[in-house]
């Protein structure tokens, strides 16, 4: 059995430390949960596209600094990996 290095709870804690707006934190947290629990690869791909667009919009409107953008992409990647492992 493969042990997960990071849990959703740990990632949500990291998310809360990124100093995003409350709305952005809530939306990204929701995406992380739906990515991790995607019932199929098609659903996973759809959610990944949605969160990528959302993060790009936040970045385009200068609502993220470079470090926040990188860390958010890492959180999305970890949620995706957890989805694929389950």
């Amino acid at each position: 059995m493969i042990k997960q290095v990071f849990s959703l709870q740990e990632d949500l804690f990291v998310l809360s430390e990124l100093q995003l707006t409350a709305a952005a934190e809530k939306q990204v947290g929701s995406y992380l949960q739906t990515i991790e629990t995607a019932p199929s690869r098609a659903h996973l791909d759809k959610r990944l596209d949605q969160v990528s667009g959302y993060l790009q919009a936040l970045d385009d409107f200068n609502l993220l600094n470079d470090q926040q953008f990188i860390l958010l992409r890492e959180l999305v990647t970890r949620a995706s990996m957890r989805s694929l492992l389950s």
Side-chain angles (χ1 to χ4, degrees), residues 13-66:
F13 176 77
V14 170
L15 179 63
S16 71
E17 297 293 309
L18 291 179
Q19 300 177 353
L20 303 174
T21 65
E25 182 180 334
K26 181 178 178 183
Q27 186 63 47
V28 173
S30 174
Y31 280 132
L32 293 178
Q33 290 174 322
T34 59
I35 288 168
E36 184 171 337
T37 60
S40 70
R41 183 61 193 233
H43 284 92
L44 174 61
D45 290 343
K46 180 179 177 182
R47 293 296 179 215
L48 290 173
D49 286 345
Q50 288 174 331
V51 73
S52 292
Y54 185 74
L55 294 181
Q56 190 60 54
L58 290 175
D59 192 44
D60 289 348
F61 287 106
N62 295 317
L63 298 174
L64 298 176
N65 62 40
D66 291 340

Side-chain angles (χ1 to χ4, degrees), residues 4 6-13 29 32-33 36-37 79 82:
Q4 293 179 0
F6 300 101
S7 69
L8 176 61
Q9 291 74 24
E10 290 170 318
D11 286 352
L12 292 175
F13 176 77
L32 293 178
Q33 290 174 322
E36 184 171 337
T37 60
R82 286 191 298 268

